[in-house]
Amino acid sequence: MIERCISQESLETTGFNYTLSLISGKYKMTILYTLMEFGVVRFNEIKRYIGGISYKTLSTTLKELEADQLVHREEYPQIPPKVEYSLTERGQSLIPILDGMCEWGDNHRL
């Protein structure tokens, strides 16, 4: 077995760091969880479900998740505008991680 030395390693090169860069942020995990639980969801539904998030923060966070290809945005050409959000295939691949977090929280809640 090869022994690793921390002085020769860098957190920046790990898969953990990459994953964290995609999902870190105050509301990203909450939005991903919402889409995991409810599938296709409209902007105002997400806003109501989360509660304390501002419209600007929700909009910015959804754009970031869309840019990272975790969330799909579907806009319908109608008046009033209708926009729906859902997880992409890449976003759905996070479901086992989100499920694991839910299970851990259920088992260790005080």
Side-chain angles (χ1 to χ4, degrees), residues 35-99:
L35 296 175
M36 177 189 82
E37 285 292 304
F38 299 102
V40 177
V41 184
R42 294 180 69 177
F43 184 91
N44 284 330
E45 292 173 327
I46 298 171
K47 168 83 173 79
R48 276 192 297 275
Y49 182 71
I50 294 175
I53 190 171
S54 71
Y55 287 103
K56 182 178 181 349
T57 300
L58 178 56
S59 178
T60 300
T61 306
L62 284 166
K63 285 176 185 172
E64 290 172 2
L65 290 168
E66 185 181 8
D68 290 331
Q69 301 174 357
L70 298 174
V71 169
H72 173 71
R73 181 180 190 269
E74 184 72 36
E75 187 173 345
Y76 297 92
Q78 65 185 50
I79 297 177
K82 177 182 176 183
V83 179
E84 295 178 332
Y85 295 90
S86 60
L87 291 177
T88 62
E89 189 173 319
R90 187 174 192 211
Q92 289 174 0
S93 69
L94 287 169
I95 288 176
I97 294 167
L98 297 171
D99 280 338

Side-chain angles (χ1 to χ4, degrees), residues 5-63:
C5 179
I6 194 167
S7 64
Q8 297 170 349
E9 300 289 336
S10 172
L11 182 64
E12 293 175 357
T13 62
T14 64
F16 173 81
N17 190 65
Y18 176 71
T19 304
L20 198 57
S21 75
L22 295 179
I23 63 174
S24 66
K26 186 169 182 181
Y27 293 103
K28 284 186 178 182
M29 290 292 291
T30 306
I31 292 168
L32 292 169
Y33 172 80
T34 302
L35 296 175
M36 177 189 82
E37 285 292 304
F38 299 102
V40 177
V41 184
R42 294 180 69 177
F43 184 91
N44 284 330
E45 292 173 327
I46 298 171
K47 168 83 173 79
R48 276 192 297 275
Y49 182 71
I50 294 175
I53 190 171
S54 71
Y55 287 103
K56 182 178 181 349
T57 300
L58 178 56
S59 178
T60 300
T61 306
L62 284 166
K63 285 176 185 172

